């Protein structure tokens, strides 16, 4: 590594999906891009289920066939029901708007590695084992970063623009004191990977399956080579009860839903490895300023319930790349572009949040158990599950109507609604520690 100060047009902190997407697109625009990842790929990451609206981004990046080779075909999401087969499938092919009819489930370690290497092949200077220790912004087009290599050497990097895609590290937001805990929602997760779990049959074989229990919700995600990701997103107070009994606590938790547990009767937990992670829901007070921008989880994270993380990260990265190119050409437009991008991201997050905050609500439970396609409301929900929440009027007005129907049902069951709402807000104030993933240890 050359010593002394180095120069680039754009420095990107973080080599996950957001950072690699932004770096790829900016490098294509003939900008000098340095992509800094403190770890080495492949590295573990939760978030294995992708959304159909990811696919157009994959096509624009030129990686769709690579994703297809890595992934398991995902035709939809299924939720518990009282019908004969025990679940309802929300098939993506039934969505309104123009979202693709399927998605993929992937090992994130392989997926993230592929995107990082793709950024390098497109011309980004992609560096692994390079940790950003600090930064100083001298003016809007002069940011100085201090970077340490894994060998212990440090160097300076001077950039005209800084993109923070550091994920839950929230590198820039933390130093600018912009990060804020979500006052309405908080959760933690415990999960592992199994072989021998029973998959759905036929067209539903690649579905993500969602289950509820008294303390949250559970997932089953089919992955390549017959592996099943299985876990539970819980209220923090519940997960605190494990007291070091991590493996046993996961099994006891999964046994609380008979339908899910029936699919694990002949399954084996791989390596007896169980992970725990917390601090799921937060945002920041601003998305950017002159010469800097937060994307993906460095800006905000909601909850994994609808698998929104990778899509929101990559869509914000794609929009950020366009913003940075235009801001470097036309500095006078930068502030307006930033405001527009932040409004767009927050609007999509609000639409997802309505469902996320209420997913354990008995009213929402009933609506997913007994879906009705009155005025194509069910198809509007499918479009939401597909990630089509930005620019599709046919979808957006049906989601607004869904909220009205929810409110009417909540009034009919106001005692249950009030109890659930009060408990959710109490859990949002809870503080969870004890995560075991690399993100929790940083």
């Amino acid at each position: 590594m050359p010593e002394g100060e180095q120069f680039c047009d754009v420095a990107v902190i973080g080599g996950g999906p957001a950072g690699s997407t932004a770096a790829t697109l900016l490098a294509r625009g003939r900008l000098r891009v340095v992509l800094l990842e403190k770890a080495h790929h492949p590295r573990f990451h939760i978030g294995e289920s992708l959304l159909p609206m990811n696919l157009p981004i994959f096509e624009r990046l030129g990686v769709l066939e690579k994703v297809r080779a890595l992934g398991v075909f995902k035709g939809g999401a299924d939720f518990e029901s009282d019908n004969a087969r025990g679940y309802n499938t929300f098939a993506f092919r039934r969505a309104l708007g123009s979202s693709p009819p399927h998605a993929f489930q992937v090992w994130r370690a392989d997926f993230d590695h592929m995107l990082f290497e793709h950024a390098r092949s497109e011309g980004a200077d992609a560096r692994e084992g390079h940790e950003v220790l600090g930064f100083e912004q001298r003016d809007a087009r002069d940011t100085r970063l201090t970077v340490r290599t894994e060998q212990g050497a440090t160097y300076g990097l001077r950039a005209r623009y800084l993109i923070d895609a550091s994920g839950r590290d929230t590198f820039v937001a933390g130093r600018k004191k912009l990060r804020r805990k979500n006052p309405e929602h908080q959760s933690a997760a415990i999960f592992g990977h199994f072989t021998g779990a029973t998959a759905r049959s036929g067209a539903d074989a690649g579905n993500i399956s969602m289950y509820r229990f008294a303390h949250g919700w559970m997932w089953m995600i089919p992955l390549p080579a017959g592996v099943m990701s299985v876990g539970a997103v819980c209220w923090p107070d519940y997960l605190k009860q494990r007291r070091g009994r991590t493996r046993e606590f996961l099994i006891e938790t999964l046994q609380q839903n008979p339908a899910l547990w029936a699919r694990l009767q002949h399954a084996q937990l791989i390596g007896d490895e169980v992970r725990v992670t917390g601090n799921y829901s937060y945002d920041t007070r601003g998305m950017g300023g002159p010469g800097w921008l937060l994307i993906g989880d460095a800006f905000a994270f909601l909850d994994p319930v609808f698998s929104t993380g990778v899509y929101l990260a990559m869509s914000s990265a794609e929009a950020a790349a366009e913003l940075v190119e235009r801001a470097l050409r036309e500095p006078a437009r930068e502030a307006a572009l930033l405001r527009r991008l932040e409004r767009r991201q927050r609007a999509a997050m609000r639409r997802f949040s309505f469902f996320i905050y209420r997913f354990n609500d008995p009213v929402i439970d009933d609506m997913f158990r007994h879906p009705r396609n009155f005025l194509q409301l069910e198809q509007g929900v499918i479009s939401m599950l597909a990630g089509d929440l930005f620019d599709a009027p046919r979808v957006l007005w049906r989601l607004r109507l869904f909220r009205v129907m929810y409110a009417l049902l909540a009034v009919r069951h106001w005692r249950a609604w009030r109890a659930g709402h009060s408990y959710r807000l109490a859990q949002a104030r809870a503080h969870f520690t004890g995560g075991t993933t690399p993100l929790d240890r940083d």
Side-chain angles (χ1 to χ4, degrees):
M1 176 60 58
E3 296 181 357
E5 191 170 54
Q6 302 172 36
F7 300 87
C8 65
D9 293 310
V10 185
V12 181
I13 304 174
S20 295
T21 297
T24 294
L25 297 171
L26 289 165
R28 281 182 185 170
R30 300 186 182 278
L31 293 173
R32 295 169 298 172
V33 181
V34 176
L35 175 59
L36 300 161
E37 167 58 45
K38 67 179 181 179
H40 277 266
H41 289 287
R43 80 278 196 273
F44 173 81
H45 205 292
I46 194 172
E48 300 142 330
S49 192
L50 306 179
L51 300 185
M53 289 301 289
N54 278 112
L55 269 62
I57 301 176
F58 296 153
E59 288 188 286
R60 290 189 288 271
L61 290 175
V63 298
L64 180 57
E65 293 309 311
K66 294 179 182 180
V67 176
R68 194 187 310 277
L70 290 174
V72 168
F73 182 93
K74 174 186 175 183
D78 61 61
F79 298 81
E80 280 186 285
S81 176
D82 302 322
N83 59 23
R85 63 177 184 171
Y87 66 94
N88 288 315
T89 296
F90 290 73
F92 294 135
R93 58 181 170 74
R94 296 184 57 230
L96 302 173
S98 57
S99 57
H102 67 90
F104 297 100
Q105 325 268 25
V106 296
W107 284 107
R108 278 293 300 279
D110 297 335
F111 176 77
D112 291 9
H113 189 193
M114 178 274 294
L115 289 177
F116 189 83
E117 291 300 326
H118 186 71
R120 177 178 283 144
S121 72
E122 292 286 332
D125 182 353
R127 305 176 183 179
E128 297 173 273
H130 287 233
E131 181 178 6
V132 180
L133 301 178
F135 75 100
E136 177 188 3
Q137 191 172 32
R138 301 284 180 88
D139 63 43
R141 295 294 177 262
D142 185 4
T143 297
R144 315 288 178 93
L145 285 72
T146 301
V147 186
R148 181 176 61 200
T149 70
E150 60 190 339
Q151 290 78 26
T154 60
Y155 63 93
L157 179 63
R158 185 174 176 179
R160 298 170 62 204
Y161 219 101
L162 174 63
I163 294 179
D164 182 8
S166 60
R168 285 168 55 190
D169 285 353
T170 57
F171 180 84
V172 170
R175 283 152 182 80
K176 287 183 174 287
K177 302 188 185 305
L178 298 175
R179 178 167 166 158
R180 57 190 179 187
K181 183 178 178 181
N182 189 328
E184 296 190 66
H185 184 75
Q186 202 62 228
S187 58
I190 183 168
F191 58 98
H193 293 91
F194 293 77
T195 58
T198 302
R200 297 291 194 211
S201 60
D204 295 331
N207 288 357
I208 180 173
S209 298
M210 315 286 280
Y211 300 86
R212 289 180 177 83
F213 75 122
H215 308 285
W217 61 273
M218 305 175 186
W219 77 80
M220 296 186 76
I221 298 174
L223 294 170
V227 174
M228 188 77 75
S229 172
V230 186
V233 175
C234 320
W235 299 121
D237 279 355
Y238 173 75
L239 201 48
K240 288 177 183 177
Q241 298 173 21
R242 79 184 193 281
R243 297 186 178 88
R245 300 168 49 255
T246 303
R247 183 190 183 281
E248 294 81 0
F249 194 82
L250 172 64
I251 299 303
E252 291 167 5
T253 297
L254 299 178
Q255 287 173 337
Q256 293 182 48
N257 186 292
L260 180 146
W261 186 244
R263 297 177 62 185
L264 294 178
Q265 287 302 298
H266 305 291
Q268 296 291 322
L269 178 63
I270 298 175
D272 273 347
E273 185 174 18
V274 175
R275 293 182 169 96
V276 178
T277 188
N279 197 28
Y280 257 135
S281 195
Y282 61 86
D283 76 341
T284 57
R285 289 197 300 273
M287 194 173 186
W292 63 275
L293 187 58
L294 313 177
I295 61 175
D297 294 355
F299 170 56
F301 188 75
L302 297 172
D303 186 282
V305 64
F306 295 128
S307 309
T308 59
V310 174
Y311 172 59
L312 289 177
M314 295 185 73
S315 63
S316 70
E318 190 173 36
E322 181 180 357
L323 184 153
V324 170
E325 286 185 333
R326 295 184 67 181
L328 290 175
R329 293 194 310 267
E330 307 171 68
R333 300 199 60 195
E334 182 177 10
L337 293 170
L338 279 168
R339 287 193 298 270
R340 186 182 308 161
L341 175 58
E342 182 168 349
R343 282 197 302 268
R344 188 172 190 268
Q345 287 298 119
R346 290 195 186 277
M349 288 165 52
R350 283 194 301 272
R351 292 162 190 150
F352 275 126
S353 294
F354 176 84
F355 290 89
I356 288 169
Y357 296 169
R358 295 160 180 82
F359 187 65
N360 288 316
D361 187 297
V363 175
I364 291 288
D365 181 26
D366 182 71
M367 295 174 87
F368 274 89
R369 282 181 178 273
H370 310 104
R372 302 168 186 86
N373 202 29
F374 173 69
L375 295 177
Q376 297 182 302
L377 284 183
E378 181 189 356
Q379 289 175 269
V381 171
I382 292 172
S383 295
M384 179 275 296
L385 295 172
D388 194 3
L389 284 181
F390 283 107
D391 306 308
R394 293 177 66 202
V395 175
L396 299 183
W397 81 258
R398 285 174 174 85
L399 294 182
R400 286 192 289 270
L401 182 58
F402 185 97
R403 295 179 66 158
V404 171
M405 293 188 65
Y406 168 86
L408 294 173
L409 288 170
V411 169
R412 289 179 57 190
H413 306 281
W414 67 272
R415 287 187 178 88
W417 175 88
R418 186 175 65 178
H421 179 74
S422 298
Y423 188 69
R424 171 166 59 84
L425 294 183
Q427 289 300 295
R429 295 189 292 270
H431 180 64
F432 175 80
T433 59
T436 61
T437 73
L439 292 171
D440 295 278
R441 293 192 289 268
D442 287 342

